[in-house]
Amino acid sequence: MKEDEYHFTLDRREFLKLVGSGIVVFFTTGDPFALQQRRDRGYPADFNAYLRIGEDGRVSCFTGKIEMGQGIHTSLAQMLAEELDVPLDKVDMVMGDTDLCPYDGGTFGSRSTKYFGPPLRQAAAEARAILIQLASERLQVDQKNLVAKEGVIFHQQNPQKKISYAQLAQGKKIERHLEEKPPIKPYRNHTVSGRPTDRMDARQKVTGEAKFTGDIRLPGMLHAKILRPPAHGETLKSVIVSAAKEIEGVTIIQDEDMIAVLHKYPDMAEQALGLIDARFEPFRSKLDNQTIFRHLKNSAQEGDVVTEKGNVEEGKRLSAKTFDKTYYNHYVAHAPSEPHAALVNIEGNKATVWASTQSPFRAQAEVAQVLGFPQEKVRVITPFVGCGFGGKNQGYQIVEAARLAKLTGKPVQVAWSRKEEFFYDTFRPAAIIDIKSGLDGSNKIVFWEYRNYFAGDRSSQPFYDIPHFRVLSMGGRGGSVHPFGTGAWRGPGSNTNVFAMESQVDGMAEAAGMDPLEFRLHNLDDERMKRVLMAAAEKFGKSFSRAPSGKGYGLACTDYLGTYLATIAEVDVNKNNSEVRVKRVVCAQDTGEVINPEGVRMQIEGCITMGLGYCFTEEIRFSNGRILDENFDTYEIPRFSWTPQIETVLVDNPEMPPQGCGEPAITSMGAVIANAVYDAIGKRMFTLPMTPDRIKEALS
Amino acid sequence: MEKNFRFKLNGKTIDLASSPERMLLWVLRSDLELTGTKYSCGEGFCGACTVLVDNEPVLSCQFPLKEAEGKEVLTIEGLGKNGELHPLQDAFMQHNALQCGFCTPGMLLGAYALLLKNPEPSTKDIVDTMEGNLCRCGSYKRIIQAIQTAARTMRGERP
Ligand code: FES
Ligand code: FES
């Protein structure tokens, strides 16, 4: 116990040394997952972020979270500025730097605003209380007569009597740890938070000044290209590097399993790599994107119960109509705009790493291990990250760069090509969902039996009012069942689950002779869900009919980790070429208290647009371990011409703490489009993506 | 074999020795350390590396250095003038037409080339011209709005 305390204090003191003088408040985020992770790793569990008011009056927040386009850089700053009463432009967010920021488990799962926001507010309120106390001493005014505004504290009756935060922080070294929860402002009094706010990083991004990992230049640095097998499972038989050596300025490293070519110019390294004559032992496999579903079914384990209620057998007996359907989805790539990159510089016994990663502390641990350095001798800095979506949790490229930096004694950058990006991606797992369900005589869903093969179980809890249900997971996300790496993909599990669940519900609505909205409302008790459905329907403004109506309207709703949403789409299916055009998408979302309405809308729009990819085209094709899609020519992602008219409704719910908003809206896209396609052509699509070929097949 | 090249880059004359077949993208990013121009696909499928050569948009990952000889190259670093943002840059900020911002330089240059030729583009004109520029974050809707706003500003109308 004693020793623990000692460690905690020491850690805090070390951070204090780094940040220098001013007023510092340490605090802990409320994410139960992150806290546990920290304890497991022996990190201090009493704080994982802090904020500082510097002698210049600027306020900095230090956190291991990272910005990858989702906009928390701005929304967190808004929360801080609001509670501390400073102008937004006086706030600096220091993110994802392992030297300056306390340990954080990574940025994913739409958790940042939800779990980090509330304690950040409390820490800011605490800092404000300290400032008021100091001001009261300096101005000789009773605390209750003081008010804070825009970084200045003044006497309410005599505003001439005032002092700025900068003046108060000067020459001070005040450290506090947030123990209690100081009261925070009611949302009604908010002037910064809750207002649409432009991205704080936009200026750097439109001028080209924003530095992504691959943009960092160090004197003497080398770019490395690494020899890769043509297919997963192939091993190197023989290699001749002599031709590559002919290129001027090239360095070749052969170290254990790694063969790398380094040059001061990345394109020259690439050219040299092309001159290496390498032979690989071919790999034969029966698995490809045609046979994968049979393989997955055969690999199923006994089901774990995710959730259950009542007695499914009883529900079956009560059913007047039953439904038994199977849904499939293929592997999907993250395809981030910025391929994975890392730069490692070793100076003496200290390594500095710049990396495009969602998990800087994980990278720190991995680099420390491969270099044999203690962790505190490895500093990971996270520059701007060009998309993550779950694809940048792992960082092989970081370890590769670290090894090469050590071997060459130079700063080394490893930046993957698009082909490597597709090859080493941790795909969204291919998955199968079996659903059996039943309706009673009054068109109420009476049972629901759900088998989930490898999608992951998020969002698979039924939210309709069903007396008897059982949800089974037949082996988690599958892990080594898959022929290559798989992992979390924006809205992990949920995209597949919502596609299956909400398609099934639509089928039942038709059998009940009801329109999709009417049927859902008929089977829902949850008022919050009804409210988002009504909000979406109102915005859509056109009425549903029992499907297939020929109108091409689709509806889907879901609960994504506490964020509720309903989406409506209108599509046109071209019967000649079986192509679908999405004309309009309306999404109503209740995400609790909204910090930055503009930011939330951007996330919803992004989700809708990106989601169209997995609806129509995104499917990784593979055979014999080879990834056949290597670039955007065959792996098509949404383009300008796909963009539908998008309308968003933010359903007001300020009493509820802020929920996540970076992922929810993408998870309903498969279902809403499949339902709209059904409404248009009367054919249900059971497989994602709904390619023209699959639609043609359904039509014939 | 290295050769000497001279071209204009963002208004300044550049003299440089390099091998003629190297792609302009890498010369810009490495030799000249202008990293605003991005690599995303390397094969001409995404538009992230778009720059202008003599006012025509080109994919710099597919554009050999030798073809820049004697020409004028414009990159994102040269879009604003004298510390002032170009109206397109302003409009992208105003509409929040970006998220991660990785595709943004290519988008801006593509849009700039479009507006040079067509100061009053319809939505369809914008979509057709920009179709090769990909945005994984899905900011297309806002990018279209931003281009329209910038076009109005540049025509001297109220945005
Ligand atoms: S990087 Fe040049 S088109 Fe994609
Ligand atoms: S803003 Fe991220 S790719 Fe366009």
Side-chain angles (χ1 to χ4, degrees), chain A residues 68-69 336-338 385-387 389, chain B residues 97-104 107 134-140 143:
Chain A
M68 51 186 158
S337 54
E338 173 211 20
V385 176
C387 306
F389 307 132
Chain B
L98 54 102
Q99 292 185 27
C100 77
F102 199 77
C103 70
T104 310
M107 290 286 178
L134 299 179
C135 175
R136 187 54 160 166
C137 296
S139 298
Y140 299 123
I143 296 173

Side-chain angles (χ1 to χ4, degrees), chain A residues 42-91:
Chain A
Y43 282 96
D46 65 338
F47 73 98
N48 66 348
Y50 57 98
L51 59 88
R52 179 195 56 177
I53 299 139
E55 292 187 280
D56 54 0
R58 292 196 73 79
V59 180
S60 313
C61 173
F62 297 81
T63 162
K65 299 261 167 255
I66 63 112
E67 171 66 41
M68 51 186 158
Q70 81 281 40
I72 56 170
H73 191 275
T74 307
S75 61
L76 294 178
Q78 273 179 282
M79 293 173 107
L80 174 52
E82 178 68 63
E83 214 56 50
L84 197 46
D85 287 309
V86 286
L88 194 55
D89 59 12
K90 285 245 165 95
V91 176

Side-chain angles (χ1 to χ4, degrees), chain A residues 212-214 336-341 356 384-386 392 418 421, chain B residues 40 102:
Chain A
F212 295 81
T213 297
S337 54
E338 173 211 20
H340 284 65
S356 50
F384 285 115
V385 176
K392 287 177 177 163
R418 183 53 59 187
E421 188 66 39
Chain B
S40 181
F102 199 77

Side-chain angles (χ1 to χ4, degrees), chain A residues 16 19-24 52-55 169 171-173:
Chain A
L16 275 180
V19 295
S21 50
I23 299 164
V24 181
R52 179 195 56 177
I53 299 139
E55 292 187 280
K172 290 275 178 347
K173 261 183 187 281

Side-chain angles (χ1 to χ4, degrees), chain A residues 80-362:
Chain A
L80 174 52
E82 178 68 63
E83 214 56 50
L84 197 46
D85 287 309
V86 286
L88 194 55
D89 59 12
K90 285 245 165 95
V91 176
D92 300 311
M93 297 296 298
V94 181
M95 305 177 78
D97 183 325
T98 60
D99 259 17
L100 299 176
C101 309
Y103 175 79
D104 182 271
T107 308
F108 46 76
S110 291
R111 304 172 85 87
S112 304
T113 310
K114 180 170 175 171
Y115 291 109
F116 193 83
L120 171 64
R121 279 184 167 156
Q122 283 155 358
E126 175 82 10
R128 192 169 163 279
I130 299 170
L131 288 160
I132 297 260
Q133 193 188 334
L134 290 172
S136 153
E137 288 158 18
R138 288 275 286 274
L139 299 174
Q140 296 290 314
V141 174
D142 197 282
Q143 285 195 33
K144 65 177 189 301
N145 294 326
L146 290 175
V147 276
K149 206 176 166 198
E150 308 230 312
V152 179
I153 295 174
F154 53 87
H155 191 298
Q156 207 162 9
Q157 284 79 38
N158 176 11
Q160 299 309 65
K161 245 185 149 157
K162 61 177 179 188
I163 187 160
S164 70
Y165 290 2
Q167 288 168 303
L168 287 170
Q170 257 149 40
K172 290 275 178 347
K173 261 183 187 281
I174 296 180
E175 180 222 335
R176 287 288 169 88
H177 183 256
L178 184 65
E179 307 288 356
E180 285 161 37
K181 297 190 171 165
I184 56 170
K185 288 188 195 171
Y187 69 89
R188 275 168 252 101
N189 299 355
H190 285 177
T191 57
V192 182
S193 180
R195 298 290 137 91
T197 300
D198 294 345
R199 302 187 61 97
M200 291 167 68
D201 51 7
R203 194 182 172 96
Q204 282 166 283
K205 288 178 174 176
V206 297
T207 53
E209 281 159 28
K211 294 279 182 249
F212 295 81
T213 297
D215 300 337
I216 292 163
R217 300 281 172 266
L218 295 178
M221 73 183 257
L222 295 175
H223 295 265
K225 285 284 157 189
I226 298 165
L227 184 69
R228 307 294 186 190
H232 291 280
E234 293 202 5
T235 47
L236 188 62
K237 248 190 346 196
S238 68
V239 60
I240 305 168
V241 299
S242 48
K245 282 194 181 137
E246 299 298 307
I247 301 236
E248 204 184 304
V250 85
T251 305
I252 297 182
I253 298 279
Q254 289 184 264
D255 180 54
E256 294 171 24
D257 55 331
M258 179 167 62
I259 297 176
V261 182
L262 299 99
H263 195 280
K264 71 174 171 167
Y265 298 144
D267 51 326
M268 298 307 288
E270 180 87 53
Q271 197 184 331
L273 183 73
L275 298 173
I276 291 184
D277 182 5
R279 304 282 153 91
F280 290 84
E281 202 68 64
F283 175 75
R284 295 274 162 251
S285 160
K286 291 203 180 69
L287 288 188
D288 58 31
N289 47 309
Q290 311 294 331
T291 60
I292 187 69
F293 293 118
R294 207 179 325 129
H295 165 73
L296 292 180
K297 260 272 161 79
N298 292 339
S299 312
Q301 295 163 18
E302 201 153 311
D304 286 335
V305 177
V306 177
T307 172
E308 67 181 330
K309 184 180 163 192
N311 177 339
V312 169
E313 296 312 315
E314 169 69 10
K316 285 181 185 168
R317 278 198 296 107
L318 297 172
S319 299
K321 296 188 185 106
T322 58
F323 307 82
D324 181 355
K325 298 286 180 216
T326 303
Y327 303 85
Y328 304 89
N329 92 221
H330 282 274
Y331 293 103
V332 177
H334 293 91
S337 54
E338 173 211 20
H340 284 65
L343 169 62
V344 177
N345 185 27
I346 302 175
E347 284 168 310
N349 62 356
K350 168 118 199 164
T352 309
V353 178
W354 290 261
S356 50
T357 176
Q358 292 176 240
S359 304
F361 285 87
R362 174 175 173 165

Side-chain angles (χ1 to χ4, degrees), chain A residues 418 631-632, chain B residues 25-26 38-50 58-62 132 134:
Chain A
R418 183 53 59 187
N631 212 322
F632 297 123
Chain B
L25 171 66
W26 301 115
K38 302 298 183 213
Y39 165 95
S40 181
C41 79
E43 296 184 45
F45 301 133
C46 80
C49 62
T50 305
V58 306
L59 299 174
S60 63
C61 74
Q62 302 296 300
L134 299 179

